[in-house]
PDB file of all heavy atoms in Angstrom:
ATOM      1  N   GLU A  52      11.216-205.388 -41.205  1.00 98.00           N
ATOM      2  CA  GLU A  52      12.206-205.749 -40.196  1.00 98.00           C
ATOM      3  C   GLU A  52      11.995-207.176 -39.690  1.00 98.00           C
ATOM      4  O   GLU A  52      12.926-207.801 -39.182  1.00 98.00           O
ATOM      5  CB  GLU A  52      12.157-204.746 -39.025  1.00 98.00           C
ATOM      6  CG  GLU A  52      11.008-204.922 -38.039  1.00 98.00           C
ATOM      7  CD  GLU A  52       9.677-204.386 -38.564  1.00 98.00           C
ATOM      8  OE1 GLU A  52       9.464-204.337 -39.795  1.00 98.00           O
ATOM      9  OE2 GLU A  52       8.838-204.021 -37.729  1.00 98.00           O
ATOM     10  N   THR A  53      10.777-207.723 -39.859  1.00 98.00           N
ATOM     11  CA  THR A  53      10.506-209.073 -39.344  1.00 98.00           C
ATOM     12  C   THR A  53      10.882-210.126 -40.382  1.00 98.00           C
ATOM     13  O   THR A  53      11.867-210.842 -40.218  1.00 98.00           O
ATOM     14  CB  THR A  53       9.027-209.219 -38.954  1.00 98.00           C
ATOM     15  OG1 THR A  53       8.204-208.991 -40.104  1.00 98.00           O
ATOM     16  CG2 THR A  53       8.648-208.261 -37.838  1.00 98.00           C
ATOM     17  N   VAL A  54      10.074-210.224 -41.447  1.00 98.00           N
ATOM     18  CA  VAL A  54      10.334-211.150 -42.552  1.00 98.00           C
ATOM     19  C   VAL A  54       9.893-210.442 -43.832  1.00 98.00           C
ATOM     20  O   VAL A  54       9.251-209.391 -43.764  1.00 98.00           O
ATOM     21  CB  VAL A  54       9.537-212.477 -42.381  1.00 98.00           C
ATOM     22  CG1 VAL A  54       9.941-213.194 -41.090  1.00 98.00           C
ATOM     23  CG2 VAL A  54       8.029-212.257 -42.412  1.00 98.00           C
ATOM     24  N   TYR A  55      10.229-211.005 -44.998  1.00 98.00           N
ATOM     25  CA  TYR A  55       9.735-210.416 -46.246  1.00 98.00           C
ATOM     26  C   TYR A  55       8.243-210.713 -46.392  1.00 98.00           C
ATOM     27  O   TYR A  55       7.771-211.787 -46.011  1.00 98.00           O
ATOM     28  CB  TYR A  55      10.505-210.987 -47.455  1.00 98.00           C
ATOM     29  CG  TYR A  55      11.781-210.225 -47.740  1.00 98.00           C
ATOM     30  CD1 TYR A  55      12.879-210.347 -46.889  1.00 98.00           C
ATOM     31  CD2 TYR A  55      11.880-209.348 -48.824  1.00 98.00           C
ATOM     32  CE1 TYR A  55      14.045-209.612 -47.117  1.00 98.00           C
ATOM     33  CE2 TYR A  55      13.041-208.621 -49.068  1.00 98.00           C
ATOM     34  CZ  TYR A  55      14.115-208.750 -48.209  1.00 98.00           C
ATOM     35  OH  TYR A  55      15.257-208.020 -48.439  1.00 98.00           O
ATOM     36  N   GLY A  56       7.508-209.727 -46.917  1.00 98.00           N
ATOM     37  CA  GLY A  56       6.075-209.899 -47.122  1.00 98.00           C
ATOM     38  C   GLY A  56       5.750-209.960 -48.610  1.00 98.00           C
ATOM     39  O   GLY A  56       6.523-209.484 -49.449  1.00 98.00           O
ATOM     40  N   LEU A  57       4.605-210.564 -48.929  1.00 98.00           N
ATOM     41  CA  LEU A  57       4.131-210.598 -50.318  1.00 98.00           C
ATOM     42  C   LEU A  57       2.959-209.621 -50.400  1.00 98.00           C
ATOM     43  O   LEU A  57       1.864-209.917 -49.935  1.00 98.00           O
ATOM     44  CB  LEU A  57       3.689-212.015 -50.687  1.00 98.00           C
ATOM     45  CG  LEU A  57       3.182-212.207 -52.106  1.00 98.00           C
ATOM     46  CD1 LEU A  57       4.283-211.885 -53.123  1.00 98.00           C
ATOM     47  CD2 LEU A  57       2.704-213.646 -52.306  1.00 98.00           C
ATOM     48  N   ALA A  58       3.227-208.436 -50.971  1.00 98.00           N
ATOM     49  CA  ALA A  58       2.284-207.330 -50.824  1.00 98.00           C
ATOM     50  C   ALA A  58       1.373-207.115 -52.020  1.00 98.00           C
ATOM     51  O   ALA A  58       1.757-207.330 -53.174  1.00 98.00           O
ATOM     52  CB  ALA A  58       3.067-206.040 -50.558  1.00 98.00           C
ATOM     53  N   ALA A  59       0.152-206.657 -51.695  1.00 98.00           N
ATOM     54  CA  ALA A  59      -0.825-206.245 -52.706  1.00 98.00           C
ATOM     55  C   ALA A  59      -1.607-205.062 -52.141  1.00 98.00           C
ATOM     56  O   ALA A  59      -1.649-204.868 -50.919  1.00 98.00           O
ATOM     57  CB  ALA A  59      -1.797-207.386 -52.996  1.00 98.00           C
ATOM     58  N   ASN A  60      -2.216-204.290 -53.040  1.00 98.00           N
ATOM     59  CA  ASN A  60      -3.114-203.212 -52.617  1.00 98.00           C
ATOM     60  C   ASN A  60      -4.224-203.810 -51.741  1.00 98.00           C
ATOM     61  O   ASN A  60      -5.058-204.583 -52.222  1.00 98.00           O
ATOM     62  CB  ASN A  60      -3.707-202.546 -53.864  1.00 98.00           C
ATOM     63  CG  ASN A  60      -4.628-201.384 -53.519  1.00 98.00           C
ATOM     64  OD1 ASN A  60      -5.101-201.267 -52.385  1.00 98.00           O
ATOM     65  ND2 ASN A  60      -4.875-200.526 -54.488  1.00 98.00           N
ATOM     66  N   ALA A  61      -4.241-203.429 -50.468  1.00 98.00           N
ATOM     67  CA  ALA A  61      -5.174-204.042 -49.518  1.00 98.00           C
ATOM     68  C   ALA A  61      -6.622-203.644 -49.769  1.00 98.00           C
ATOM     69  O   ALA A  61      -7.538-204.258 -49.232  1.00 98.00           O
ATOM     70  CB  ALA A  61      -4.781-203.670 -48.090  1.00 98.00           C
ATOM     71  N   LEU A  62      -6.851-202.617 -50.596  1.00 98.00           N
ATOM     72  CA  LEU A  62      -8.223-202.143 -50.797  1.00 98.00           C
ATOM     73  C   LEU A  62      -8.869-202.737 -52.044  1.00 98.00           C
ATOM     74  O   LEU A  62     -10.032-202.475 -52.325  1.00 98.00           O
ATOM     75  CB  LEU A  62      -8.231-200.606 -50.876  1.00 98.00           C
ATOM     76  CG  LEU A  62      -7.585-199.887 -49.676  1.00 98.00           C
ATOM     77  CD1 LEU A  62      -7.694-198.378 -49.826  1.00 98.00           C
ATOM     78  CD2 LEU A  62      -8.206-200.348 -48.355  1.00 98.00           C
ATOM     79  N   VAL A  63      -8.093-203.521 -52.801  1.00 98.00           N
ATOM     80  CA  VAL A  63      -8.622-204.087 -54.053  1.00 98.00           C
ATOM     81  C   VAL A  63      -8.643-205.618 -53.953  1.00 98.00           C
ATOM     82  O   VAL A  63      -7.593-206.278 -53.961  1.00 98.00           O
ATOM     83  CB  VAL A  63      -7.751-203.634 -55.258  1.00 98.00           C
ATOM     84  CG1 VAL A  63      -8.183-204.323 -56.531  1.00 98.00           C
ATOM     85  CG2 VAL A  63      -7.826-202.112 -55.404  1.00 98.00           C
ATOM     86  N   ALA A  64      -9.843-206.172 -53.856  1.00 98.00           N
ATOM     87  CA  ALA A  64      -9.971-207.621 -53.623  1.00 98.00           C
ATOM     88  C   ALA A  64      -9.282-208.446 -54.708  1.00 98.00           C
ATOM     89  O   ALA A  64      -8.674-209.481 -54.411  1.00 98.00           O
ATOM     90  CB  ALA A  64     -11.447-207.992 -53.512  1.00 98.00           C
ATOM     91  N   ASP A  65      -9.335-207.992 -55.979  1.00 98.00           N
ATOM     92  CA  ASP A  65      -8.703-208.778 -57.048  1.00 98.00           C
ATOM     93  C   ASP A  65      -7.195-208.879 -56.870  1.00 98.00           C
ATOM     94  O   ASP A  65      -6.581-209.900 -57.199  1.00 98.00           O
ATOM     95  CB  ASP A  65      -8.980-208.143 -58.421  1.00 98.00           C
ATOM     96  CG  ASP A  65     -10.403-208.438 -58.863  1.00 98.00           C
ATOM     97  OD1 ASP A  65     -11.068-209.261 -58.193  1.00 98.00           O
ATOM     98  OD2 ASP A  65     -10.852-207.841 -59.872  1.00 98.00           O
TER      99      ASP A  65
END
Side-chain angles (χ1 to χ4, degrees):
E52 77 282 27
T53 60
V54 299
Y55 274 72
L57 180 62
N60 182 342
L62 305 182
V63 174
D65 284 351

